[in-house]
Amino acid sequence: MLYIFRIIIILSAFLSWYAAASTTRTTAHTIVHHSRIHHHYLHQNKQQGHTLHHKHYLRKSHHRTKSQERRHVRLVKRKIFHAYYGWKGTPYHFGGASHRGIDCSAFVMKMYRQVFHQDLPRTTLGQVKLGRRIRKDHAKLGDLVFFKTGRNERHVGIYLSNGDFMNSASSRGVSISNLHHVFWKRHFWQIRRLVAI
């Protein structure tokens, strides 16, 4: 009887030890498993962060090459001249906005809508408040050229290149003029950039 009692005690002790050992192994395995999961996601997040950063860098550093820039400028220039030839020779008419007669600000407004898909104010004084002021020697295709042609008279045209600009002038209607001409040189006011080309 005593022998059986001793066996029961030994078996109970063994079972208690086995249960404790199993719990320890399970806990250790769980810790290791969670640690691996943590490192996996940490590594994955780092990779994703690197990928996003890399994509962001590519997006920020993506600029047109010089050849692409030249092609883009040529395309815009073709669009501007295509729109211009649709108006060329139209007589100047103060307050006019049709092919029967058009003034300078209406001409600029219609050109910008057709070429750049931008709606500008109807008046020269409204248009001169837009964009940012540019030095004359930094003028680029599409910039607006403004003149003070009288005490309370303002004029506007669209810059092309080499001093040329298109406008609706009272003397010639829709035509191309040049900033170096004595009249325009004398009445020059400012140049403003509304679009980046």
Side-chain angles (χ1 to χ4, degrees):
M1 187 70 181
L2 183 62
Y3 178 77
I4 295 173
F5 182 72
R6 286 179 179 175
I7 291 175
I8 291 172
I9 291 173
I10 292 170
L11 284 175
S12 298
F14 175 76
L15 289 174
S16 298
W17 172 84
Y18 182 79
S22 298
T23 303
T24 303
R25 282 197 304 270
T26 304
T27 304
H29 176 72
T30 302
I31 292 171
V32 170
H33 179 67
H34 287 176
S35 177
R36 286 175 180 171
I37 291 174
H38 172 73
H39 286 296
H40 170 73
Y41 280 102
L42 182 64
H43 179 67
Q44 190 177 45
N45 288 340
K46 282 182 180 178
Q47 285 185 326
Q48 288 176 349
H50 175 73
T51 304
L52 290 173
H53 174 72
H54 183 60
K55 287 180 180 178
H56 180 63
Y57 172 76
L58 288 177
R59 187 163 57 248
K60 283 181 66 177
S61 63
H62 178 68
H63 297 291
R64 289 191 293 260
T65 63
K66 288 184 178 180
S67 60
Q68 288 174 329
E69 184 71 26
R70 286 194 294 268
R71 285 197 298 270
H72 177 68
V73 171
R74 285 197 298 268
L75 176 63
V76 174
K77 198 167 187 176
R78 281 198 297 269
K79 286 183 178 180
I80 288 178
F81 273 97
H82 176 74
Y84 165 75
Y85 285 120
W87 289 95
K88 183 181 178 183
T90 301
Y92 176 88
H93 179 69
F94 181 74
S98 70
H99 285 88
R100 289 178 295 179
I102 191 168
D103 62 21
C104 61
S105 58
F107 171 69
V108 167
M109 180 185 70
K110 288 182 176 292
M111 289 288 291
Y112 255 68
R113 184 180 295 162
Q114 184 173 341
V115 177
F116 301 112
H117 309 291
Q118 288 192 13
D119 289 323
L120 303 188
R122 173 64 180 82
T123 65
T124 304
L125 290 177
Q127 293 170 3
V128 78
K129 296 176 183 178
L130 304 177
R132 60 188 178 95
R133 193 164 183 164
I134 300 294
R135 284 170 44 184
K136 188 190 289 188
D137 57 342
H138 288 173
K140 290 184 178 180
L141 178 69
D143 291 345
L144 296 190
V145 190
F146 294 91
F147 304 87
K148 291 183 178 180
T149 53
R151 186 175 180 180
N152 296 310
E153 295 174 0
R154 303 293 181 264
H155 185 73
V156 62
I158 300 175
Y159 189 83
L160 299 172
S161 61
N162 302 316
D164 289 337
F165 65 97
M166 56 179 62
N167 66 134
S168 180
S170 57
S171 58
R172 300 168 56 199
V174 176
S175 57
I176 292 177
S177 305
N178 193 280
L179 289 174
H180 303 302
H181 186 279
V182 61
F183 177 83
W184 299 116
K185 195 173 183 179
R186 184 169 66 246
H187 295 289
F188 175 79
W189 180 16
Q190 61 175 291
I191 295 176
R192 302 192 72 84
R193 182 161 299 160
L194 279 62
V195 292
I197 299 176

